Amino acid sequence: MSQTLEQLAESISARFAGSVERVPSRCGELTFEVQAAHLVEICRALRDEADWRFEQLIDLTGVDYLTYGRVEWTTESATSSGFSRGRTGGTVASTDEMQGVAAERRFAVVYHLLSVTHNRRVRLRAYCEGGEPPMLDSVIDVWTSADWFEREAFDLYGILFRGHPDLRRILTDYGFVGHPFRKDFPLSGNVEVRYDEAKGRVVYEPVSIEPRTLVPRVIREDNRYEAALKDAPGKDVGHG
């Protein structure tokens, strides 16, 4: 990380001591975890104070940490290892473990800020208040661009933003059930839509798709993979 960002990190840490904690970054981005109770206060200071001037909220998104770092993909019958799952050595979390994460530090909101004045960027992360639904103060009074971003996080994650003037779905429709970016949301969804000729309108019904294994297993019919033939004398298995 550059000296400029290190100086910025030190100034933010000193200014908000006890309310922010620097988060390590593998990609060299400056990130702070902010206490939910001080979120709006800190965001307003980062926007207004001359040393920072983060005038723009570039992006805001929700995060669900329900199974973060502890599980592999879950399917109906495939093995829990192999098939290029992208993570090795993981174990499927138990119901108790999932409930424990849900009660504490499951949902968070991430804010990407830009200072046009100083040409700097910083990222903030704030964990939502525990319980259901997860809740956090809105920053719409600090950056008006938070309006649709917060609506999107509400729609996809079910995060409520206290103080938002018009919090409603923005990507899914009014009849949608659940929040599709939650880790425990079924891939097939909860409802399906069809046009009913008799009623003359679109109707919603329980989903009829049956769960199935989504990880393909390829079986190659080739003598190069036969144990009795692959090591046969004089056989070039690479070009046979």
Side-chain angles (χ1 to χ4, degrees):
M1 188 172 291
S2 68
Q3 183 178 358
T4 301
L5 284 183
E6 288 294 344
Q7 292 174 347
L8 175 62
E10 292 175 2
S11 66
I12 292 177
S13 297
R15 170 67 172 80
F16 304 108
S19 298
V20 302
E21 180 180 352
R22 188 172 176 181
V23 178
S25 174
R26 297 180 180 178
C27 53
E29 295 180 340
L30 184 57
T31 305
F32 286 94
E33 184 176 314
V34 181
Q35 293 182 5
H38 302 284
L39 174 64
V40 176
E41 168 195 348
I42 291 173
C43 286
R44 185 171 284 111
L46 289 175
R47 182 198 65 181
D48 295 341
E49 296 188 15
D51 289 342
W52 302 308
R53 294 294 185 191
F54 287 98
E55 306 99 332
Q56 292 190 15
L57 172 66
I58 298 298
D59 194 14
L60 178 158
T61 186
V63 184
D64 182 359
Y65 288 103
L66 178 63
T67 58
Y68 177 73
R70 298 184 299 117
V71 300
E72 300 181 72
W73 301 345
T74 55
T75 56
E76 291 297 317
S77 60
T79 176
S80 62
S81 62
F83 299 119
S84 300
R85 289 178 178 274
R87 174 176 170 80
T88 59
T91 57
V92 177
S94 66
T95 302
D96 291 340
E97 288 175 327
M98 288 186 176
Q99 290 175 347
V101 174
E104 182 180 358
R105 296 170 69 87
R106 173 177 173 180
F107 293 100
V109 177
V110 177
Y111 307 81
H112 292 262
L113 310 182
L114 170 65
S115 170
V116 177
T117 301
H118 301 295
N119 190 26
R120 297 172 181 170
R121 297 177 186 267
V122 70
R123 180 169 56 193
L124 307 178
R125 179 179 67 190
Y127 281 94
C128 300
E129 299 172 9
E132 185 62 43
M135 188 174 296
L136 202 61
D137 288 332
S138 172
V139 296
I140 194 171
D141 290 337
V142 182
W143 300 287
T144 55
S145 60
D147 185 358
W148 281 17
F149 290 146
E150 291 181 347
R151 285 181 58 189
E152 183 181 81
F154 161 70
D155 192 357
L156 300 180
Y157 292 93
I159 299 172
L160 296 185
F161 292 89
R162 188 186 295 108
H164 192 289
D166 187 26
L167 195 61
R168 54 193 168 93
R169 292 188 182 273
I170 191 172
L171 295 177
T172 60
D173 62 17
Y174 294 108
F176 194 87
V177 177
H179 304 282
F181 276 17
R182 289 193 174 194
K183 297 300 184 182
D184 52 1
F185 185 84
L187 293 179
S188 58
N190 295 310
V191 297
E192 60 186 25
V193 182
R194 68 176 179 85
Y195 181 79
D196 189 293
E197 292 284 354
K199 296 181 179 180
R201 61 178 175 83
V202 170
V203 295
Y204 295 86
E205 298 174 334
V207 66
S208 59
I209 300 175
E210 296 182 1
R212 63 187 186 277
T213 300
L214 300 177
V215 180
R217 180 176 181 178
V218 179
I219 301 177
R220 297 179 176 86
E221 298 295 342
D222 192 313
N223 63 5
R224 291 176 297 175
Y225 298 92
E226 292 292 333
L229 297 177
K230 67 178 182 179
D231 295 326
K235 184 67 172 180
D236 185 352
V237 296
H239 301 85

